[in-house]
């Protein structure tokens, strides 16, 4: 079994915060870069953030820069996406994906099933 499982999604009011988790089962995340992606209804999937295997490099999309932060805890085999000052346009299914190159290269090798984030009053 090789899988990624996202958790932490839910319903939040505009201006609120959520922290998403991406946990690996069946393999160790130490050698993988992890990216977060999202897909809103009727829209194409877009990249949100990525963190290198070492954690030394992070990348955040312009649309969420200053509001979202990506981090990792290899001891817990988990990568996080902290989302602050959420807006209705952030509503989407959020996915994490693992890249064996370790440096946020495409294509990604493994994908999770996604977790729903809904920002609404």
């Amino acid at each position: 079994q090789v899988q990624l499982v996202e958790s932490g999604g839910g319903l939040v009011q505009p201006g609120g915060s959520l922290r998403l988790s991406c946990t690996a089962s069946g393999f160790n995340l130490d050698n993988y870069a992890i990216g977060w992606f999202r897909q809103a209804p009727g829209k194409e999937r877009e990249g949100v953030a990525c963190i290198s295997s070492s954690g030394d490099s992070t990348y955040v999309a312009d649309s969420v820069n200053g509001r979202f932060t990506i981090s990792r805890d290899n001891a817990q085999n988990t990568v996080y996406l902290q989302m602050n000052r959420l807006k209705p346009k952030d509503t989407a299914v959020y996915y994490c994906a693992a890249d064996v190159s370790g440096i946020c290269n495409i294509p990604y090798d493994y994908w999770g099933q996604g977790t729903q984030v809904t920002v609404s009053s």
Side-chain angles (χ1 to χ4, degrees):
Q1 64 180 20
V2 175
Q3 65 177 0
L4 295 168
V5 178
E6 303 94 338
S7 63
L11 175 64
V12 64
Q13 293 186 342
S17 297
L18 286 173
R19 188 173 76 162
L20 305 184
S21 299
C22 174
T23 300
S25 298
F27 68 103
N28 197 317
L29 283 185
D30 289 356
N31 296 325
Y32 292 82
I34 299 295
W36 283 97
F37 301 81
R38 67 185 183 185
Q39 187 165 223
K43 296 184 179 180
E44 188 174 337
R45 185 179 65 201
E46 65 174 331
V48 176
C50 188
I51 186 166
S52 64
S53 60
S54 67
D56 290 343
S57 299
T58 62
Y59 307 91
V60 181
D62 288 343
S63 60
V64 302
N65 188 41
R67 299 188 297 119
F68 290 12
T69 303
I70 189 169
S71 62
R72 68 189 303 152
D73 184 347
N74 287 340
Q76 298 296 318
N77 220 25
T78 298
V79 172
Y80 302 98
L81 184 68
Q82 179 68 47
M83 306 185 296
N84 297 325
R85 303 193 304 279
L86 283 160
K87 304 174 180 180
K89 67 179 181 180
D90 295 319
T91 295
V93 177
Y94 284 72
Y95 302 87
C96 65
D99 162 33
V100 72
S101 82
I103 56 173
C104 297
N105 282 345
I106 57 173
Y108 287 77
D109 300 281
Y110 304 109
W111 290 81
Q113 293 294 106
T115 185
Q116 176 71 49
V117 172
T118 302
V119 185
S120 176
S121 59

